[in-house]
Amino acid sequence: MICNKSDIDNLHDNGFILLKNVLESSQIEKIKKIIISNPEGKGVPENIYSTSFKSFLMKSIKVEFKKIINSLYFLHLKNQLKLDSYTSTFFNQKSKISQIDGYHNQKQESEILPWHCDQSYSGAKIVKKIKSPDDFGLKFFFYLTNVGPGNGCTSYIPGSHKIAYAVRSCMYEKKIEYQPYWSINDFVNLVNKKKYYPLIVDKLDSQEILNEFLQKAQNVILNKKTDLFDFSALPGDVLIFNEGGFHKGSKPTKNRRVVLRYIYKKILK
Ligand SMILES: [Fe+2]
């Protein structure tokens, strides 16, 4: 996978990029076969692959040899695609793989996940320790099936990662008190608070960027069926995105959705 400067610039500016034809057809078939042999849905232990020595050791003890072979294959694939070097260029420092997983969802009429941002404590009511705003992941979503507007694509609001970063920074610096902001509605309510809005403008050094985001956010809140931020991708394409921005997993209404994910994080000092 070629990492060029304009991709990295786009990732920093918009929070995401879509690269076409990254996987070969034999790789697509092999990966798809592995993933659909596991239970449906995200977060199922069977769908998470080993990335650490400890995890490989545990799998050896449990005699899960098939899982070991598949994990080795996915590690080999990331090396072949030079994902480590890609993310280190993005973060401008060394990064590490934090998770490899793959999952599938049947054709359905409900969203896989509504508009939300990651690194938001899953919307917890109370959070004791606020993490550094730099503690966020870069995610690679390899599509193994067709996705498109209203059909399983991971819609993303361009530039929203900058607003979420500013909010996380203000919370870390104790300028803003924590309140749940996982969902886009909660996040907009927080940003619009009279006492917080100027602090976020100050952090962004731009009122225009914040207002542009609020307009886009209002659009998706009021118009649930909008496909304004959707895109089409074919098996073998990859969406790379900053997980801090607002995204959603749209309904796979036309066909089953199968994805392989690599999640990377910056090594924080
Ligand atoms: Fe997410």
Side-chain angles (χ1 to χ4, degrees):
M1 212 165 88
I2 301 157
C3 172
N4 58 46
K5 193 182 171 303
S6 71
D7 286 348
I8 299 294
D9 288 348
N10 273 334
L11 258 174
H12 283 298
D13 285 348
N14 294 319
F16 71 98
I17 50 166
L18 180 70
L19 302 182
K20 311 292 279 178
N21 296 316
V22 175
L23 298 176
E24 291 167 10
S25 52
S26 57
Q27 291 171 319
I28 296 167
E29 285 319 305
K30 179 169 179 169
I31 300 167
K32 211 168 139 183
K33 208 171 149 188
I34 294 172
I35 293 173
I36 60 177
S37 69
N38 287 323
E40 192 194 341
K42 204 169 111 178
V44 182
E46 288 94 324
N47 296 346
I48 300 170
Y49 297 90
S50 298
T51 56
S52 66
F53 176 74
K54 193 180 161 195
S55 171
F56 275 107
L57 190 68
M58 292 302 290
K59 296 225 165 21
S60 310
I61 293 167
K62 291 182 192 164
V63 206
E64 292 178 351
F65 294 128
K66 201 174 142 199
K67 201 69 190 290
I68 291 173
I69 291 166
N70 290 337
S71 298
L72 287 171
Y73 172 70
F74 289 137
L75 285 174
H76 171 71
L77 184 68
K78 87 169 174 57
N79 293 339
Q80 217 181 1
L81 296 170
K82 299 189 170 58
L83 299 191
D84 294 13
S85 139
Y86 207 104
T87 45
S88 296
T89 307
F90 170 77
F91 285 121
N92 201 20
Q93 68 164 80
K94 263 200 144 187
S95 56
K96 61 171 192 286
I97 185 84
S98 90
Q99 187 163 311
I100 303 175
D101 61 23
Y103 60 93
H104 59 102
N105 298 89
Q106 291 307 315
K107 193 173 142 180
Q108 60 192 57
E109 285 302 324
S110 53
E111 277 172 353
I112 292 172
L113 260 186
W115 286 104
H116 69 282
C117 68
D118 301 331
Q119 295 310 320
S120 53
Y121 311 94
S122 307
K125 282 202 175 127
I126 299 165
V127 171
K128 284 190 181 147
K129 194 177 181 316
I130 297 293
K131 291 194 286 186
S132 160
D134 289 313
D135 189 356
F136 69 91
L138 187 69
K139 292 186 173 170
F140 294 76
F141 262 54
F142 287 92
Y143 293 108
L144 286 318
T145 46
N146 289 330
V147 294
N151 183 37
C153 68
T154 306
S155 322
Y156 196 100
I157 300 182
S160 53
H161 63 301
K162 292 179 184 168
I163 322 298
Y165 185 85
V167 167
R168 298 202 308 273
S169 300
C170 288
M171 279 183 184
Y172 188 63
E173 292 163 17
K174 298 189 168 51
K175 290 176 181 164
I176 289 183
E177 224 172 281
Y178 172 81
Q179 64 180 68
Y181 62 92
W182 181 85
S183 74
I184 198 157
N185 296 58
D186 285 349
F187 187 79
V188 166
N189 288 339
L190 186 160
V191 169
N192 272 328
K193 279 197 171 170
K194 254 189 189 167
K195 55 180 179 175
Y196 294 153
Y197 180 89
L199 294 171
I200 300 162
V201 168
D202 195 45
K203 186 56 82 183
L204 287 164
D205 202 17
S206 166
Q207 189 168 15
E208 202 188 333
I209 293 180
L210 183 54
N211 289 347
E212 254 179 48
F213 163 74
L214 286 170
Q215 249 179 11
K216 290 173 190 164
Q218 277 307 333
N219 191 326
V220 301
I221 290 170
L222 296 173
N223 183 7
K224 291 211 163 29
K225 285 187 178 165
T226 184
D227 60 3
L228 195 61
F229 303 112
D230 291 5
F231 56 84
S232 292
L234 295 171
D237 296 348
V238 60
L239 174 76
I240 310 172
F241 68 94
N242 176 328
E243 66 173 359
F246 277 85
H247 54 281
K248 73 162 184 176
S250 67
K251 315 166 186 180
T253 51
K254 294 180 185 157
N255 52 269
R256 169 161 69 178
R257 181 201 201 231
V258 187
V259 292
L260 167 67
R261 307 193 312 168
Y262 289 89
I263 305 167
Y264 277 80
K265 284 206 170 169
K266 201 190 258 195
I267 298 174
L268 296 175
K269 283 159 199 157

